[in-house]
Amino acid sequence: MKSPEYSEDCKEIFALISDYLDLELSPDGCAEIEAHIAGCPSCIEFVESLRKTIDLCRLYHPSEVPEPIGQQAREQLLNAYRNAMAARGRPV
Ligand SMILES: [Zn+2]
């Protein structure tokens, strides 16, 4: 199976997801992730494994008070992120 190609924009999205895992993602970052994923087939497979990231992003809606994610959810996200990185077999 051919590996999808990731653009520089994609790498920015991966960095934003990493920020999210560090609880440092801004609402603008969430919006950027959602907007990019909507138009980037290459990222869909990766993001599917991080579906909870996108769902949790909605907690950061500017009109709502952000809620901290639970430790278990954070570990699940981190594991999914690491697995996705490892599956690509090359540095981002
Ligand atoms: Zn992408």
Side-chain angles (χ1 to χ4, degrees), residues 7-53:
S7 70
E8 291 301 316
D9 282 349
C10 295
K11 292 174 185 175
E12 285 186 25
I13 295 306
F14 299 146
L16 286 172
I17 291 172
S18 180
D19 283 349
Y20 176 82
L21 294 173
D22 290 333
L23 305 180
E24 293 175 353
L25 182 61
S26 68
D28 282 352
C30 277
E32 198 172 328
I33 289 173
E34 292 189 346
H36 177 85
I37 287 163
C40 184
S42 297
C43 281
I44 290 176
E45 183 181 352
F46 172 68
V47 170
E48 280 298 315
S49 67
L50 289 172
R51 172 62 64 188
K52 285 182 178 175
T53 302

Side-chain angles (χ1 to χ4, degrees), residues 42-90:
S42 297
C43 281
I44 290 176
E45 183 181 352
F46 172 68
V47 170
E48 280 298 315
S49 67
L50 289 172
R51 172 62 64 188
K52 285 182 178 175
T53 302
I54 306 308
D55 290 341
L56 287 166
C57 264
R58 300 206 169 96
L59 296 176
Y60 283 80
H61 192 280
S63 69
E64 298 172 5
V65 178
E67 295 180 23
I69 64 174
Q71 181 65 24
Q72 187 177 7
R74 178 173 154 76
E75 287 177 1
Q76 286 174 349
L77 284 168
L78 197 53
N79 284 335
Y81 179 76
R82 285 173 176 158
N83 288 341
M85 291 294 118
R88 276 211 299 283
R90 56 180 175 177

